[in-house]
Amino acid sequence: MRVGRASRRAPAGPSSPEIRTRRLEGTTLDGPRDHDSDPGRALEGALDRARAGDETGFVQLWRALQPPLLRYLTVRGNDAPEDVAAETWLQVVRDLHSFNGGVADFRAWLFTVARHRAVDQGRARTARPVVPVADPLSHGRSAASHPSAEQDAAERAATAAALRLVASLPPEQAEMVMLRVVAGLDVAAVAELVGKTPGAVRVAVHRALKSLSRDPRIRATREVV
């Protein structure tokens, strides 16, 4: 028995709210995705190894979470997001032995520490000695893993454009969008972090994403990559 093409379910059109929202949640903000691996499972293993004192486990956590952490701090408007991120990771390394929980809990803890550090920086910046730290990304990296110059430039341009769009939102909304979409925290964790109810977080993020999805510039950021 033949089934006519008309009976097939039509794909969502370009104006679908779900499609519009996914445009924001794509590679422009989240960074390149590895479709050949399970990032959640990999990070669980990395977290277990890091807690056991394995350097490679910590390096894997750093590689996965440093980019969204920097994007979050950049949208917050901190003067030196790299410095705040470095202080955040130093505290994480120091206190990791006392941490209990899975990857979702680790994400929430990491961004909570970062937010507290960012607030402290905003209140008063004091001179601190510069401590040279080896770049974790240089550990075990092969030349074949480097993206092309064109690809790297395109990804950087798309990410910068998307961050500018999010930063154009009211500060509270921008922070909640970054914590939900980029950091990957659940609603309860975001609510606790920003001092809002879960319902207020859901409404604020929904309105922010809906507003951004209507902006014609969001399509431009997708076309760059």
Side-chain angles (χ1 to χ4, degrees):
M1 177 178 176
R2 297 181 61 186
V3 180
R5 292 187 178 181
S7 64
R8 297 177 183 173
R9 183 177 179 182
S15 60
S16 166
E18 180 182 359
I19 297 299
R20 289 200 306 269
T21 300
R22 284 180 179 176
R23 282 178 183 149
L24 178 65
E25 296 177 341
T27 56
T28 42
L29 284 178
D30 297 334
R33 297 179 185 270
D34 183 358
H35 296 285
D36 299 327
S37 63
D38 183 343
R41 187 178 304 172
L43 286 184
E44 287 286 358
L47 180 58
D48 290 340
R49 295 197 308 276
R51 279 189 289 207
D54 186 339
E55 179 187 353
T56 62
F58 180 79
V59 168
Q60 189 172 350
L61 290 173
W62 189 93
R63 286 177 175 173
L65 298 176
Q66 172 74 347
L69 182 63
L70 284 177
R71 291 167 191 150
Y72 165 68
L73 293 170
T74 298
V75 168
R76 270 189 56 88
N78 293 96
D79 295 336
E82 294 85 359
D83 292 346
V84 178
E87 293 176 3
T88 298
W89 284 108
L90 286 174
Q91 181 173 340
V92 166
V93 171
R94 184 190 67 200
D95 299 337
L96 186 59
H97 68 281
S98 62
F99 170 78
N100 291 309
V103 171
D105 301 309
F106 182 80
R107 282 179 181 267
W109 177 47
L110 176 69
F111 280 85
T112 298
V113 172
R115 190 173 195 266
H116 290 164
R117 291 288 184 176
V119 169
D120 289 343
Q121 184 206 60
R123 288 172 178 166
R125 295 199 62 183
T126 57
R128 296 182 178 88
V130 177
V131 179
V133 179
D135 182 4
L137 286 178
S138 63
H139 181 81
R141 175 188 282 177
S142 63
S145 66
H146 286 253
S148 67
E150 294 80 4
Q151 181 184 358
D152 184 64
E155 288 175 355
R156 287 177 182 273
T159 298
L163 290 178
R164 284 195 296 271
L165 286 174
V166 176
S168 69
L169 294 168
E172 280 191 352
Q173 277 192 347
E175 181 173 21
M176 285 185 276
V177 167
M178 294 299 291
L179 290 172
R180 281 288 289 133
V181 177
V182 178
L185 304 187
D186 60 29
V187 171
V190 175
E192 183 177 357
L193 189 55
V194 301
K196 303 282 185 182
T197 65
V201 170
R202 288 191 187 94
V203 171
V205 172
H206 173 76
R207 289 176 177 173
L209 292 178
K210 188 174 182 180
S211 173
L212 289 174
S213 69
R214 291 172 175 170
D215 194 315
R217 292 174 295 174
I218 200 66
R219 294 184 179 180
T221 65
R222 293 289 291 171
E223 291 170 356
V224 171
V225 291

